[in-house]
Amino acid sequence: MALLEYENLSIALPGTARPVLDGIDLTVSAGEVVALVGESGSGKSVTARSALGLFPTGAHVDGHVRVDGTEVVGAGPAALRAIRTGTASMIFQDPRAGINPVRRIGDFLTEALRVSNGWSKGRADDRAVELLGAVGLPDPERHLRQYPYELSGGMLQRVMIAAALTAGPRLLLCDEPTTALDVSTQAEIMAILGRLQRERDLGMLLITHDIELAAAVCDRIYVMYAGRIVETAPTAQLFGAPRHPYTAGLLGSSPPLRAPAGPPARLTPIPGSPMGLLDSAPGCSFAARCRSARPGVCDRTPPPLEGHGTALVACHLAESLTATDNTATGEGT
Ligand SMILES: Nc1ncnc2c1ncn2[C@@H]1O[C@H](COP(=O)(O)OP(=O)(O)OP(=O)(O)O)[C@@H](O)[C@H]1O
Ligand SMILES: [Mg+2]
């Protein structure tokens, strides 16, 4: 059984032309690192938040999300509390948005332990010091007495990771955990997350715009476009032979992590703009931006997510497009 499992999850908001999420199938096993990538507005954060039962207000939710076998859709407060304070934790993009600026770091970290577990202040402080040590903050005792404004963004994100580990979760949902940080701090935070994941055998869903980062740390990657999974494959395969023209476009528009010697490769943006919630398309959502799209096919019916080798791809042309075709589509030919 997967630690995190989405089965045909759809979320629709009133007054919109297309669902926010449209039949999402996704799994994360214990100890597995899985990336969810896609452009802004594709539904990555809504997907991650759904694992904690945090659905948009007024949304119509259909399908299933299970965390360690517990159904989240329609779950009552007790079941949700058990997931949020036990099995699963979430790390967000901006650490300052998730912490009360006028409370000390120590109080922030120990509150849950003292309230939920009934621990004494001394015992909870010891645990907080241990967790701050685990995320690589030197002099943790001093940090417990500090306020958030006294810490840099990178230090504060370490505090948030420590907070996420308080209850000993088995699943970590990381929503762009390094986007708000400078480049060298991004690398440090990713290294810490990677080490903790291995040490604690955590299942991890890593949401990122950065497909190269996903490649560096993940076992499998899901590519999302306009609320649908359009491709998923083991990392090496997705990079070596992207099947969906959108995946190929993403790869062609991001700078490589380890650039080869010589002049930098030309990056090619994907033409057009992402589809908003007020736009809908009868066929493939990507057809209007896809250089390979076939009129009368791609703009007529939505392509199902189907197996091609070890990949699942939602593209009418997945069999006929080769990696070379896809590279060509990304180069403005
Ligand atoms: N609580 C909400 N109420 C109404 N609409 C929402 C809500 N949350 C998200 N949306 C809409 O759902 C769509 C998907 O949003 P989501 O935040 O999941 O995108 P994302 O892929 O995480 O984008 P980004 O990369 O910018 O973080 C967007 O059109 C967004 O405006
Ligand atoms: Mg987001």
Side-chain angles (χ1 to χ4, degrees):
M1 180 183 69
L3 182 55
L4 173 63
E5 182 176 24
Y6 296 79
E7 188 188 332
N8 204 17
L9 181 71
S10 294
I11 296 185
L13 284 163
T16 56
R18 67 156 177 95
V20 181
L21 300 185
D22 192 356
I24 298 295
D25 287 311
L26 182 154
T27 59
V28 180
S29 298
E32 190 185 28
V33 186
V34 170
L36 180 58
V37 303
E39 280 169 313
S40 191
S42 54
K44 305 181 297 295
S45 294
V46 171
T47 302
R49 292 166 63 85
S50 297
L52 299 179
L54 298 166
F55 301 109
T57 315
H60 178 78
V61 183
D62 226 16
H64 305 278
V65 187
R66 298 181 200 93
V67 176
D68 203 17
T70 303
E71 177 66 72
V72 172
V73 178
L80 289 179
R81 201 176 315 116
I83 290 171
R84 293 173 191 168
T85 61
T87 325
S89 275
M90 189 142 172
I91 296 164
F92 297 92
Q93 174 175 338
D94 180 2
R96 285 192 205 280
I99 193 164
N100 184 337
V102 297
R103 296 194 67 208
R104 291 177 200 271
I105 301 294
D107 293 335
F108 167 70
L109 282 175
T110 56
E111 183 174 48
L113 291 171
R114 298 185 65 187
V115 173
S116 311
N117 299 12
W119 287 17
S120 69
K121 177 164 167 42
R123 186 178 176 196
D125 279 356
D126 287 348
R127 175 88 172 122
V129 165
E130 182 195 320
L131 287 170
L132 289 180
V135 296
L137 272 184
D139 201 1
E141 283 88 355
R142 188 169 61 88
H143 291 309
L144 288 190
R145 296 190 299 275
Q146 289 184 309
Y147 289 94
Y149 70 83
E150 297 179 80
L151 274 65
S152 69
M155 290 162 97
L156 212 52
Q157 191 63 307
R158 292 179 199 222
V159 170
M160 300 314 274
I161 296 170
L165 296 175
T166 318
R170 296 172 55 218
L171 174 68
L172 213 49
L173 305 155
C174 302
D175 191 354
E176 312 250 13
T178 63
T179 309
L181 307 171
D182 68 75
V183 175
S184 63
T185 314
Q186 285 184 1
E188 282 170 26
I189 294 292
M190 280 318 301
I192 290 165
L193 284 172
R195 177 172 52 75
L196 292 167
Q197 185 275 327
R198 288 188 298 276
E199 283 173 6
R200 294 164 193 241
D201 201 30
L202 301 171
M204 191 191 280
L205 182 65
L206 174 68
I207 291 181
T208 176
H209 283 101
D210 185 344
I211 194 160
E212 295 285 342
L213 171 70
V217 296
C218 294
D219 305 313
R220 285 190 298 125
I221 300 186
Y222 287 85
V223 181
M224 200 165 184
Y225 187 79
R228 293 183 188 146
I229 302 294
V230 296
E231 179 160 9
T232 179
T235 303
Q237 185 183 339
L238 191 107
F239 265 71
R243 285 272 185 172
H244 198 289
Y246 177 64
T247 312
L250 273 186
L251 291 173
S253 60
S254 6
L257 207 54
R258 281 174 293 279
R266 198 156 54 90
L267 301 179
T268 312
I270 301 173
S273 46
M275 206 164 89
L277 291 181
L278 298 178
D279 310 313
S280 71
C284 170
S285 313
F286 189 59
R289 301 173 71 188
C290 181
R291 290 196 176 96
S292 307
R294 286 207 194 127
V297 180
C298 300
D299 51 3
R300 287 269 168 85
T301 38
L305 192 64
E306 285 177 339
H308 296 272
T310 51
L312 293 173
V313 188
C315 174
H316 289 302
L317 311 175
E319 262 325 301
S320 55
L321 287 178
T322 64
T324 321
D325 293 329
N326 272 336
T327 311
T329 61
E331 281 178 355
T333 48

